[in-house]
Each structure stands twice: as structure tokens, then as C-alpha cells.
Amino acid sequence: MTERVPVLRIGDVLLVSIQVDLEDQTVLNLQEDLAEQIVSRAARGVVIDITAVEIVDSFVGRMLATIASISRLLDAETVVVGMRPAVAITLVELGLSLGGVRTALDLEKGLALLRRAAADTDRR
Amino acid sequence: MNVPWAAGQVPRTQGIAQNDDVVRARQQVRGHAQQCKLSLVDQTKFITAASELARNTLVYGGGGEMRSGLVERDGRRGVAAVFEDSGPGIPDIELALTDGWTSGGGLGLGLSGARRLVDEFFLDTEAGRGTTVSIVKWSR
Ligand SMILES: Nc1ncnc2c1ncn2[C@@H]1O[C@H](COP(=O)(O)OP(=O)(O)OP(=O)(O)O)[C@@H](O)[C@H]1O
Ligand SMILES: [Mg+2]
């Protein structure tokens, strides 16, 4: 019995706010839920808020990278917001630089980034 | 190695047999890291290293246990965690400690990354006997 992280929708953006220390199965469930909902709710963007997250290890780091790749294939952009400085320092030392993952300092900046990305694609 | 547990302190044991035990191991280690007043960055590094090792104990070691607590040496205080399993062991230590090497579907960063995140790292393993990894972070 694993819990599921709620996925909210604001316009065409899915918002996930991670509030508790997640076990691995919950992380995998979230990955699947997001992939499904990007399609079923026709989302153009995903924001993952990790403001409350105290540690990101290789498992959660890989999940963030995987969600970013999956959403790109499904025509949506992912932004990770609110990473704590100590988490960033630790991730780099761990060897995970999350090169393919877009980040923003907070939710507002993350949403702005997605709006800009959407405007760019529409222009093309 | 002999972990220099602080006098009068009994390390706490957390069994690692299922997914949510990895969460419990992280929480136990967080408590000890705060207790010995590691800086926030050092706490984060230590808990992250412990999380990697706890998952390895579960996934590759087939389960085992973690002991953690405060340590003391030459007047310095720190925090330690020992992960022990009686799984298959690691046949090639050099290889296992290489960034990016995995025998499963991981990123191969757990062991090598954990070693970088702590001050002391000891890996004791033998094919067929099991694996014990001990880590220490000293407070500055
Ligand atoms: N307790 C253990 N018992 C047996 N083998 C282990 C143990 N811990 C690690 N290993 C071996 O060492 C390899 C490297 O471990 P490491 O944690 O670095 O990478 P990973 O677990 O494969 O991937 P990641 O941790 O990045 O998700 C593992 O793939 C496994 O073969
Ligand atoms: Mg690992």
C-alpha cells in the first residue's frame, strides 16, 4: 500500500508539490501518473515543486530526469522549482548534475518559464 | 573498521527489509546528524549518502540492517552509520566504486557518490558472505 502524490492542474500546467519523504515505489507511481495525465489532460507543462524536499538522492534525481524526458516526448516541458541550496550542492557532489532538467528558483518563475517556452513554440 | 561510537551511546538499529525502511533509515540518520550539529549542507550530504547505502542494502544485499549514532575521536564529534547485509557480496570493489558502473538498472552513482559525500568510508565485502559499509561525517 503506497501513497500517491496528488497532481493538480492549473490551466494547461500540471503541478506536483512534494511534501513528504517519498519511498521509491511512490516515486515510480508519480512518474507513471504524470505521463498518463500529461496526455489525458492535454498538459503543456509540468512543474515539480521540491521546496519542502530535504534530500534528493540518485533515485529521486533519476525520476526528475526521467519525467523531464517523458514529458518532452509527450510535447510538454518540465520545470523543477524550489531546490534547496544544500540539495544542489549534494547532487553535484553525488555526480548527478541533472543536465536535461529545467529548473527555476520558485513556482512563479517556473510558471513564467513555461509560458515563455509555450510562446516560443507557438511562434515557430 | 571499528566505528568509534561515542561513550555512553548505544547506536540505534533500523532493519532494512522493505521500501519504507529506506525512508525510516533516512529519518533515523537525520535525527543523529542534527543531534551532533552538523551544518545543514553536511546533514544533507550525510543523509543522502545513507539513503544510497540503505537502498543498496535492500536491492542488492537482499535486506539487512543499519546502525547509526554519534561517534567521538580525539575530542571530535561526528555521526556514523553502518549498513550490513549477508547478501551476495561485491566481487569487484574497484568496479563497484567506479562512477556509472551498475549491475542493475541504476545510475551507478550510489557507492561512489556516497564515498564523496562523507569524511570516512569503509567497504568490507566478500563474495558469498555479504557487505558492510560504514560511513562517518565529522562536525566542523
Ligand atoms: N550491498 C550490496 N551487495 C551486493 N552488491 C552491491 C551492494 N551495494 C552495491 N552493490 C553492487 O555495486 C554496484 C554499484 O552500486 P551503486 O550504488 O554505485 O550503483 P547502483 O545501485 O547500481 O545505481 P544507483 O545507486 O546510482 O541507483 C551495484 O550495481 C551492485 O552490483
Ligand atoms: Mg545504489
Side-chain angles (χ1 to χ4, degrees), chain A residues 21-25 54-59 62 86-87 89-90 93-96, chain B residues 19-20 23 26 30 41 44-45 47-48 51-52 55 105-107 109 113 116-117:
Chain A
D21 192 336
L22 302 181
E23 62 170 270
D24 292 357
Q25 189 56 50
E54 288 180 340
I55 74 138
V56 173
D57 62 11
S58 66
F59 198 86
R62 182 163 54 145
V87 169
I89 292 170
T90 302
E93 202 160 317
L94 186 65
L96 257 183
Chain B
N19 266 327
D20 54 350
V23 177
R26 282 200 287 265
R30 172 183 297 120
V41 171
T44 306
K45 288 181 179 179
I47 301 164
T48 305
S51 181
E52 295 297 337
R55 184 176 298 105
L107 295 171
L109 289 175
R116 281 191 291 273
L117 291 171

Side-chain angles (χ1 to χ4, degrees), chain A residues 58, chain B residues 52 56-57 60-61 85 88-90 96 101-104 106-112 131:
Chain A
S58 66
Chain B
E52 295 297 337
N56 282 354
T57 299
Y60 301 108
D85 66 64
I90 302 177
W101 190 84
T102 176
S103 68
L107 295 171
L109 289 175
L111 274 182
S112 51
T131 301

Side-chain angles (χ1 to χ4, degrees), chain B residues 1-86:
Chain B
M1 85 148 183
N2 282 324
V3 177
W5 302 113
Q9 299 265 350
V10 184
R12 271 182 64 191
T13 302
Q14 169 67 53
I16 302 177
Q18 52 194 46
N19 266 327
D20 54 350
D21 290 333
V22 176
V23 177
R24 290 197 193 94
R26 282 200 287 265
Q27 283 161 357
Q28 178 170 314
V29 157
R30 172 183 297 120
H32 289 132
Q34 286 170 347
Q35 211 182 329
C36 95
K37 300 201 167 58
L38 291 191
S39 72
L40 191 57
V41 171
D42 283 351
Q43 281 181 35
T44 306
K45 288 181 179 179
F46 191 77
I47 301 164
T48 305
S51 181
E52 295 297 337
L53 298 174
R55 184 176 298 105
N56 282 354
T57 299
L58 179 66
V59 173
Y60 301 108
E65 62 175 39
M66 177 192 81
R67 280 173 295 138
S68 71
L70 303 187
V71 286
E72 230 166 40
R73 189 195 289 146
D74 306 328
R76 289 181 89 187
R77 272 161 76 84
V79 57
V82 178
F83 302 81
E84 195 167 356
D85 66 64
S86 38

Side-chain angles (χ1 to χ4, degrees), chain A residues 47-81:
Chain A
V47 176
I48 303 176
D49 183 0
I50 59 166
T51 309
V53 173
E54 288 180 340
I55 74 138
V56 173
D57 62 11
S58 66
F59 198 86
V60 172
R62 182 163 54 145
M63 178 272 284
L64 295 175
T66 305
I67 288 176
S69 311
I70 293 175
S71 67
R72 209 163 290 138
L73 286 176
L74 299 175
D75 196 24
E77 273 297 326
T78 296
V79 188
V80 172
V81 305

